[in-house]
Amino acid sequence: IHIFLKMSKVRRIQVLTVFLTLIVFSIFAQEHNELINSADLIEKGIKLNDEGKDSEAVELFKKIPANDTNYYMALSEMAVSYLGWKKDSVAVELCRKILKEDDVVEPLVYITYGSALDDEERRTEALRVFNEGLAVFNNSYSLYFNRGIVELRMKKKSDALLSFKKALVINP
């Protein structure tokens, strides 16, 4: 305050003008930032997925910004939507992004990623993804089950049988 009082009258007016301008801009910026409840959007998107409304679900998930704590969960569910929508290459890219950027990954990401690769008939890659997922989540019956499906399609019947057995041991 002491420095401010030592300034010339013109300089004080300039400083006050800049200060007031910044305040006004920050007020307007805050008014235009719509607050969202990302957990609600994700829940609604999952419900739309379950109803087969994948494109509508994707639009909901896209509303969740990258700085939201649920952003990667939204991307994961968006990948599931694209998988259901038969846009496997988009699902693959989203899963790659999640695995590259997120520290906390759920088994669903590996399941979606591997399933999308399987749908694209990239079964060796799908098997690699399921094995990577199982290295992290060795008690995921879904990963074992989906790996078994890929192994069956690859005509690896004994491997598939072992995967299915492991899935049943974990989740009878």
Side-chain angles (χ1 to χ4, degrees), residues 84-103:
W85 201 0
K86 302 296 181 206
K87 294 191 175 201
D88 300 310
S89 60
V90 181
V92 165
E93 289 309 311
L94 281 173
C95 291
R96 282 185 181 151
K97 176 181 175 62
I98 295 165
L99 289 171
K100 181 180 176 185
E101 297 176 6
D102 193 14
D103 295 335

Side-chain angles (χ1 to χ4, degrees), residues 12-34:
R12 279 187 272 173
I13 291 172
Q14 289 173 334
V15 169
L16 284 173
T17 303
V18 169
F19 182 71
L20 290 173
T21 303
L22 290 174
I23 289 174
V24 168
F25 279 127
S26 68
I27 289 170
F28 282 112
Q30 289 175 7
E31 286 179 12
H32 291 92
N33 286 339
E34 179 184 341

Side-chain angles (χ1 to χ4, degrees), residues 57-170:
V58 165
E59 291 309 311
L60 277 183
F61 298 135
K62 283 182 177 179
K63 291 181 179 182
I64 299 171
N67 64 347
D68 192 291
T69 55
N70 288 325
Y71 175 68
Y72 289 105
M73 184 185 298
L75 286 186
S76 176
E77 293 297 339
M78 190 184 309
V80 171
S81 296
Y82 280 117
L83 182 66
W85 201 0
K86 302 296 181 206
K87 294 191 175 201
D88 300 310
S89 60
V90 181
V92 165
E93 289 309 311
L94 281 173
C95 291
R96 282 185 181 151
K97 176 181 175 62
I98 295 165
L99 289 171
K100 181 180 176 185
E101 297 176 6
D102 193 14
D103 295 335
V104 182
V105 178
E106 296 294 322
L108 179 62
V109 175
Y110 290 100
I111 293 165
T112 305
Y113 188 9
S115 297
L117 289 168
D118 182 35
D119 286 352
E120 292 182 331
E121 298 184 12
R122 296 162 58 186
R123 299 211 164 87
T124 302
E125 290 176 72
L127 199 56
R128 178 188 51 79
V129 167
F130 288 129
N131 287 331
E132 285 176 10
L134 284 165
V136 180
F137 302 103
N138 62 349
N139 283 326
S140 171
Y141 73 91
S142 295
L143 282 167
Y144 280 111
F145 178 78
N146 283 284
R147 182 176 79 176
I149 291 171
V150 172
E151 289 166 336
L152 259 182
R153 290 183 176 149
M154 295 174 78
K155 310 287 189 238
K156 296 181 176 185
K157 293 178 183 177
S158 59
D159 290 342
L161 185 60
L162 286 173
S163 292
F164 292 139
K165 283 182 181 178
K166 286 181 181 177
L168 283 171
V169 166
I170 295 167

